[in-house]
Amino acid sequence: MERTHRLELFPERSVTLLLFQHVKNAAALRKKAMEGSIEGALINPAMIVDPFQILVAANRAVHLQKIGKMKTRTLYAEIIFSLSPSNNISDAFKKFGISDSDTAVLIVLVMDGDKNINLADITSQVEGQQVSLDELPQLTDTAKVKKMYKVTPQEEKIGSLLDSVVCRMSTKDVL
Amino acid sequence: ERGRARYSGGGRAVQPGGASALRNFPSRPPSAAEDGRRLPNTAEQAPRACAVCVAAMAAAQAEAGGARSVMAGAAAMGDAGPVGPATAELGAAGPAADGAECGAGDAVVAEEPPAPPALPGLRLVQQGAEAHVYRGLFLGRAAVAKLRVPKRYRHPALEERLSRRRMAQEARSLLRCRRAGIPAPVVYFVDYVTNSIYLEDIVDSITVQDHIYSVQKSGNDTSGLRKLAEKMGELLARMHDEDIVHGDLTTANLLLRPPLEKLDLVLIDFGLSFISGLPEDKGVDLYVLEKAFISTHPDTEVMFQALLKSYAATSKKSGPVIKKLDEVRLRGRKRSMIG
């Protein structure tokens, strides 16, 4: 159901994605995330085109954490920030984090080798139905994504939306 | 090793890089024995593993014993006496000189390669002067990892700055290309610590270079090459119109996606690219390509003409660029100064 991927460049770390639909307690979850009582990044699936997008963001966040150059305060906040094409942290949270009225939630966990995060722990807190990551494309709001990442029409001809998104994410602070 | 011999020629070994004490040789007047000395020296030290050490030995001997004992040691090969102290000096100075010299020598002969990334299915594709290129799976996708080779002869601060700038230029140009709809690999990850970049791998592609080779070898399909040239001209025109100068245009840096008949081109290797609106820079870019074309592919002048024609037709700013190209052609080497 959920999907786990090992980060090749950081062998002890692996990223797990869980997708939930028909979520009723988004507001409560968001509050918990803000307080830090949930060990995970709560993301709005409408802004996600493909799990690869999350992996790229997680890879970047873990890298920055390792070299001590995170812009935010926690790894999970950094993942959400890495998803955003802008350098404004609160804007990133607003657009990519969940809002109180959301009915779908994507939870991202980063496991550190020995530290074992209990998945059941997380899933029990969500009042919703866990679904397979294959459902993600249906939840994506492509128009919103295109607008958010400012994807040009010429760009769409040479690659997928995912390509455009990932390229912007990884070159965000290259200047 | 060839390089080492060159440096140690004539007795005055010039040691590039490294503040090794070995650099300061006592000045020895060049003597007839010197040239002869080189050979016996090598033969004498043959048992020693590293040819680098040959120079080290000469240097060490010079330092430790002064000219006299060196020449004595070399000339009197069979002599127990002079060889004794010489070898003793060798023994003492040898390992120390060895280490230092080999270290400095290594810096010249081969930079320490960066450790390959732990990607599944990792294969070393190319060991360029600038970077080692690997292919592997990154986050589940076919990717190319370019790890910069640190140049130890540079001052570390400059090395860091230059490395970072090159990488930033590459990433920036790639993003700019994509935004403008110019096919180039997607950037997956930029590592500012090792100054390495992870890009999309264009699977099953072949370089235009290989394509031209195979077409020319098989003998047919010359019209196909013309169309390819036209497409290339078009692509470069669009790139230059975005003020992106590639910097290293060769047929090996242009890929063709399968199926080949579609002439789906992709530009790669933007490591030397920069942003510029100057016709001079664009003209030079085309000149570099022209040179690469003509030197790697015989009988392709017509093809390049077609490329330029298509370039001029597609680009809105082509006039000054072509003019500059003609000017640049008149410069450079092997130009007769007649007229």
Side-chain angles (χ1 to χ4, degrees):
Chain A
M1 183 85 89
E2 56 269 352
R3 226 179 267 186
T4 302
H5 205 287
R6 204 171 55 89
L7 291 180
E8 293 90 354
L9 301 178
F10 311 102
E12 344 72 61
R13 309 289 197 100
S14 58
V15 181
T16 304
L17 286 79
L18 302 105
L19 184 59
F20 298 89
Q21 272 191 285
H22 313 301
V23 174
K24 299 191 196 80
N25 63 337
L29 286 172
R30 190 170 79 89
K31 228 160 125 223
K32 279 195 192 169
M34 300 254 278
E35 291 165 3
S37 46
I38 290 194
E39 271 291 306
L42 274 64
I43 295 170
N44 181 359
M47 299 303 287
I48 307 300
V49 179
D50 186 282
F52 184 67
Q53 187 181 349
I54 303 281
L55 292 178
V56 168
N59 184 78
R60 202 177 124 99
V62 169
H63 167 73
L64 291 173
Q65 185 190 46
K66 252 200 161 170
I67 61 174
K69 293 246 167 89
M70 288 201 297
K71 291 255 171 72
T72 62
R73 267 177 283 156
T74 72
L75 177 65
Y76 292 116
E78 192 71 23
I79 293 179
I80 296 186
F81 180 57
S82 299
L83 283 168
S84 169
S86 93
N87 274 306
N88 186 322
I89 300 179
S90 41
D91 188 61
F93 271 96
K94 251 196 292 187
K95 300 279 166 55
F96 291 87
I98 56 170
S99 56
D100 294 346
S101 54
D102 281 343
T103 54
V105 173
L106 178 64
I107 301 189
V108 181
L109 307 164
V110 178
M111 322 248 226
D112 203 343
D114 38 2
K115 258 203 323 189
N116 243 326
I117 301 184
N118 193 340
L119 284 182
D121 225 3
I122 310 276
T123 47
S124 59
Q125 295 185 52
V126 180
E127 277 175 37
Q129 186 194 10
Q130 192 185 355
V131 295
S132 154
L133 265 295
D134 300 327
E135 303 287 319
L136 182 57
Q138 295 176 27
L139 298 171
T140 312
D141 186 341
T142 28
K144 231 168 138 194
V145 171
K146 280 189 202 168
K147 200 161 158 233
M148 181 75 212
Y149 287 99
K150 300 202 185 77
V151 178
T152 65
Q154 313 97 285
E155 205 173 342
E156 294 180 44
K157 292 196 206 134
I158 56 163
S160 64
L161 181 57
L162 177 63
D163 289 336
S164 315
V165 164
V166 165
C167 205
R168 277 168 179 70
M169 278 168 54
S170 42
T171 55
K172 180 158 87 162
D173 56 356
V174 85
L175 209 95
Chain B
E1 278 155 23
R2 232 182 325 121
R4 285 271 106 235
R6 205 178 337 125
Y7 287 128
S8 66
R12 296 222 84 165
V14 180
Q15 312 300 339
S20 161
L22 291 167
R23 263 179 170 181
N24 306 317
F25 303 117
S27 59
R28 268 175 290 130
S31 59
E34 205 125 69
D35 284 301
R37 201 172 61 70
R38 218 187 316 156
L39 297 173
N41 227 4
T42 325
E44 196 175 51
Q45 317 307 338
R48 300 210 78 122
C50 181
V52 170
C53 305
V54 173
M57 288 311 101
Q61 289 172 38
E63 279 239 284
R68 197 174 48 77
S69 68
V70 172
M71 289 176 50
M77 290 238 271
D79 253 345
V83 172
T87 39
E89 280 155 4
L90 266 180
D98 247 0
E101 189 52 47
C102 281
D106 272 344
V108 176
V109 175
E111 275 84 19
E112 206 179 279
L119 300 183
L122 194 77
R123 309 184 307 280
L124 178 63
V125 171
Q126 207 180 37
Q127 269 180 315
E130 285 291 321
H132 287 358
V133 181
Y134 294 89
R135 268 205 170 103
L137 288 174
F138 178 67
L139 302 176
R141 293 200 151 200
V144 167
K146 283 172 94 165
L147 275 59
R148 294 225 105 84
V149 175
K151 307 271 177 165
R152 301 218 182 279
Y153 57 78
R154 289 190 192 132
H155 189 285
L158 290 176
E159 167 62 23
E160 172 61 31
R161 201 171 290 191
L162 189 62
S163 214
R164 163 106 14 128
R165 179 179 307 174
R166 287 267 170 86
M167 196 185 62
Q169 280 174 331
E170 179 156 24
R172 209 178 297 148
S173 298
L174 285 168
L175 178 63
R176 213 169 155 128
C177 272
R178 284 207 79 84
R179 283 225 289 258
I182 292 164
V186 178
V187 181
Y188 288 160
F189 176 51
V190 179
D191 182 348
Y192 296 105
V193 176
T194 53
N195 283 330
S196 26
I197 193 167
Y198 294 76
L199 308 164
E200 173 189 8
D201 182 11
I202 318 283
V203 269
D204 297 329
S205 59
I206 66 164
T207 61
V208 167
Q209 187 178 76
D210 290 337
H211 178 72
I212 296 179
Y213 280 156
S214 76
V215 165
Q216 283 187 329
K217 222 165 66 162
S218 71
N220 48 6
D221 186 19
T222 20
S223 63
L225 282 189
R226 193 196 168 80
K227 270 205 86 63
L228 174 64
E230 283 169 14
K231 275 233 137 177
M232 283 167 67
E234 235 181 82
L235 184 65
L236 293 178
R238 280 166 53 210
M239 185 184 76
H240 280 175
D241 277 354
E242 291 296 319
D243 288 348
I244 301 168
V245 177
H246 186 279
D248 189 14
L249 278 176
T250 67
T251 46
N253 283 338
L254 271 156
L255 299 181
L256 275 167
R257 271 194 222 262
L260 296 177
E261 312 81 60
K262 275 186 80 185
L263 296 181
D264 200 351
L265 287 163
V266 182
L267 277 162
I268 61 165
D269 197 0
F270 282 79
L272 294 171
S273 65
F274 55 99
I275 310 290
S276 167
L278 296 179
E280 163 92 22
D281 293 327
K282 297 175 187 175
V284 170
D285 215 18
L286 290 175
Y287 184 62
V288 167
L289 179 61
E290 181 174 30
K291 289 306 242 181
F293 235 109
I294 296 177
S295 59
T296 12
H297 306 284
D299 304 323
T300 46
E301 286 85 356
V302 179
M303 203 179 152
F304 193 75
Q305 285 305 315
L307 191 156
L308 281 186
K309 196 155 157 234
S310 154
Y311 178 95
T314 317
S315 163
K316 307 169 191 94
K317 321 174 192 172
S318 62
V321 176
I322 304 290
K323 198 156 155 281
K324 274 294 174 181
L325 172 62
D326 292 332
E327 274 177 46
V328 171
R329 277 191 188 127
L330 292 174
R331 298 182 211 150
R333 306 185 299 166
K334 302 173 188 161
R335 297 262 150 262
S336 80
M337 297 297 273
I338 304 169

